[in-house]
Amino acid sequence: MSEFALVWHLDGSPADPSELERMAERLGLAHADATAVHARGPVGACHSGLWLDPDSPERAQPLVDTETGCVLVACARIDNRRELAAALGAEAARADEASLLMAAWKRWGASMPGRLRGDFAFALFDPRQQRAFAARDPLGAIPLVRHFAPGKLLAIATSVRPLLACRSIPAELDEQRIMDYLVLATEGLDETATFFQAIRRMPAGHSMTASKERSDTLRYHDVRCELDADGRHGDEHYVEELRELLQRAVADRMRPGLRVGSMLSGGLDSNSVAALAGRIERSRGRRLITYSGTSVDPEDANEMAGIRIAQANPDFDARSLARGDVTAMGNELARFVDDVDEPFDYTNGITFPLYHSARKAGLRGVFDGIDADSLLSWDDYITRLWRRGRWVRAVGESVALSAFHLCGPGDTALIAWENLRPAL
């Protein structure tokens, strides 16, 4: 995991090392393995990194290519290394992520993001062409924001905080964005807005090319669904396809030598990911460390029952955090509140104590399952069944969802009704 920022003074003025130091202080990785700053001519960059494998540290960033003078900063986990190595040479298979991205840029230029598979965001400056380039992965797993003032300044970062350390970037709030946040129906409609007028977000699956006077954003990836219109495949086919993809995604994030853990909420999403990760850890002769928040509130009884069932998995070293454990982290939690980039970042504040516990246990990564609800256990699936006239299936899914959460018959009817109402 990394955070970074890159600045290019388009008017030719030199990058200020002291300003870059201030930007580095705002990168937000309190326990980084390395933080560095680079300044040469009108271009500067800073990077703070937490190495996935501390025994094999990645090459220090910002990365400067001695052959071309290109400067690159990145937060990346590239999964198709073998495929890239076949095209870039054997050295690419052993290269760290930043060096791999640099080699890809030198070979393919602006078309390189479409060849990458994994989670990534990066920014680079190429002095040969006097242009900057940046890209964000197709699913937007890594944030990327930018400020562009033609003829004056281009600044790119993984969060808003370091950009606000630049004196020339105004910090006026974007009132339209505030309204979108407060009105749920409009939240997320503008993929490029931040809470500051002068800073824009790079949408997922997009790249940006900038010269001194112009910045162009291009969608390089688009999710396309091939519909099974004639019903050739049954549910079993799609279940198996999903299982295979999920297994591969989990394995990609568990490289040999990397010790990771998982959150365990008792829901279908985190349970599915943790179960697959647990099997991989078992093959390596150890158990997967899982973290769950516990509660004695009667309203949480159903979820707690699900958590206890999940924790019984023999592949898990199950650990729990109670309210008292969270209270004891007061100072660390206060720092977390200060460091969040935008208001909704704190709505998942309950996860921070779990991350903090995982770090203290020496883990370098955690599967969190956040937003898997939209894939596995939420979204409007039952509503869509009602709309398509598949009423028996809709009722069956409502019963299954109710049983999974250990609810009663009244809750089953409520689930069915709440999903039927939008279809009417």
Side-chain angles (χ1 to χ4, degrees):
M1 177 182 178
S2 301
E3 289 205 30
F4 64 77
L6 181 142
V7 296
W8 177 19
H9 292 267
L10 306 175
D11 58 3
S13 60
D16 182 356
S18 62
E19 184 172 76
L20 289 167
E21 291 287 354
R22 290 195 302 273
M23 295 177 71
E25 291 174 359
R26 296 194 181 187
L27 288 178
L29 285 183
H31 306 285
D33 293 312
T35 299
V37 168
H38 165 83
R40 183 173 183 180
V43 176
C46 55
H47 178 273
S48 184
L50 179 67
W51 308 135
L52 289 177
D53 183 358
D55 296 326
S56 306
E58 299 181 16
R59 188 171 177 180
Q61 295 186 47
L63 177 62
V64 181
D65 184 61
T66 56
E67 177 185 353
T68 63
C70 292
V71 180
L72 179 144
V73 280
C75 174
R77 192 205 67 255
I78 305 301
D79 297 330
N80 59 330
R81 302 176 68 87
R82 291 183 181 179
E83 176 186 330
L84 295 174
L88 297 173
E91 289 188 7
R94 300 184 296 273
D96 60 278
E97 257 69 4
S99 300
L100 188 60
L101 291 172
M102 183 69 81
W105 170 256
K106 291 164 66 176
R107 170 67 66 88
W108 296 305
S111 67
M112 63 172 284
R115 299 174 179 266
L116 306 176
R117 182 166 62 84
D119 298 340
F120 59 84
F122 65 88
L124 64 85
F125 172 75
D126 191 329
R128 301 169 301 175
Q129 306 171 23
Q130 285 295 295
R131 64 171 173 164
F133 184 81
R136 190 179 178 199
D137 66 87
L139 295 181
I142 312 297
L144 197 62
V145 295
R146 61 184 173 129
H147 164 81
F148 181 66
K152 298 179 180 178
L153 178 69
L154 170 68
I156 307 168
T158 46
S159 66
V160 168
R161 295 184 308 273
L163 297 191
L164 294 179
C166 293
R167 297 189 186 93
S168 56
I169 297 181
E172 281 83 2
L173 293 175
D174 186 334
E175 294 184 359
Q176 179 65 47
R177 178 68 186 92
I178 295 173
M179 187 198 76
D180 289 346
Y181 170 71
L182 295 175
V183 180
L184 185 59
T186 58
E187 169 63 28
L189 291 180
D190 186 346
E191 295 182 336
T192 67
T194 73
F195 286 87
F196 298 91
Q197 296 180 28
I199 300 174
R200 309 299 291 177
R201 190 183 314 279
M202 176 88 73
H206 283 68
S207 64
M208 179 213 69
T209 303
S211 62
K212 291 184 178 180
E213 297 294 338
R214 178 172 175 152
S215 172
D216 295 308
T217 301
L218 172 71
R219 177 187 287 276
Y220 71 85
H221 178 89
D222 192 11
V223 177
R224 295 187 181 277
C225 245
E226 294 185 5
L227 299 178
D228 183 19
D230 55 5
R232 289 173 298 172
H233 301 301
D235 289 349
E236 295 78 9
H237 168 81
Y238 294 106
V239 168
E240 190 56 39
E241 285 288 308
L242 176 60
R243 180 183 291 112
E244 181 180 338
L245 289 171
L246 194 57
Q247 287 174 337
R248 187 173 72 182
V250 171
D252 284 342
R253 289 154 178 79
M254 298 183 68
R255 295 178 181 177
L258 174 63
R259 192 71 195 272
V260 303
S262 179
M263 293 188 183
L264 195 65
S265 69
L268 184 60
D269 33 43
S270 64
N271 280 2
S272 300
V273 171
L276 294 172
R279 293 176 187 175
I280 294 175
E281 287 290 75
R282 186 208 315 155
S283 70
R284 297 173 179 174
R286 60 197 183 200
R287 292 193 296 166
L288 178 75
I289 298 177
T290 65
Y291 293 93
S292 304
T294 61
S295 171
V296 295
D297 191 325
E299 292 186 2
D300 298 327
N302 289 339
E303 185 169 357
M304 286 307 306
I307 289 174
R308 285 191 291 271
I309 293 171
Q311 287 179 324
N313 188 324
D315 292 336
F316 296 165
D317 174 2
R319 305 181 183 185
S320 300
L321 272 77
R323 182 172 300 175
D325 300 317
V326 175
T327 302
M329 300 178 187
N331 291 335
E332 289 286 346
L333 288 173
R335 184 186 180 283
F336 168 70
V337 174
D338 290 338
D339 284 346
V340 294
D341 213 28
E342 295 186 317
F344 45 73
D345 291 339
Y346 189 65
T347 60
N348 283 323
I350 187 61
T351 61
F352 178 77
L354 305 180
Y355 293 144
H356 182 64
S357 298
R359 184 188 66 80
K360 291 176 65 176
L363 302 182
R364 308 300 287 188
V366 175
F367 289 108
D368 60 25
I370 292 175
D371 203 35
D373 288 346
S374 60
L375 176 65
L376 295 177
S377 60
W378 198 250
D379 200 17
D380 60 348
Y381 176 58
I382 298 177
T383 300
R384 285 185 281 119
L385 290 175
W386 285 117
R387 285 175 175 157
R388 293 173 183 174
R390 301 181 65 183
W391 300 340
V392 174
R393 183 62 179 269
V395 172
E397 290 292 335
S398 300
V399 171
L401 187 60
S402 176
F404 182 82
H405 290 288
L406 305 179
C407 301
D411 295 300
T412 302
L414 180 62
I415 291 172
W417 168 246
E418 288 297 329
N419 285 280
L420 171 60
R421 187 167 53 180
L424 297 176

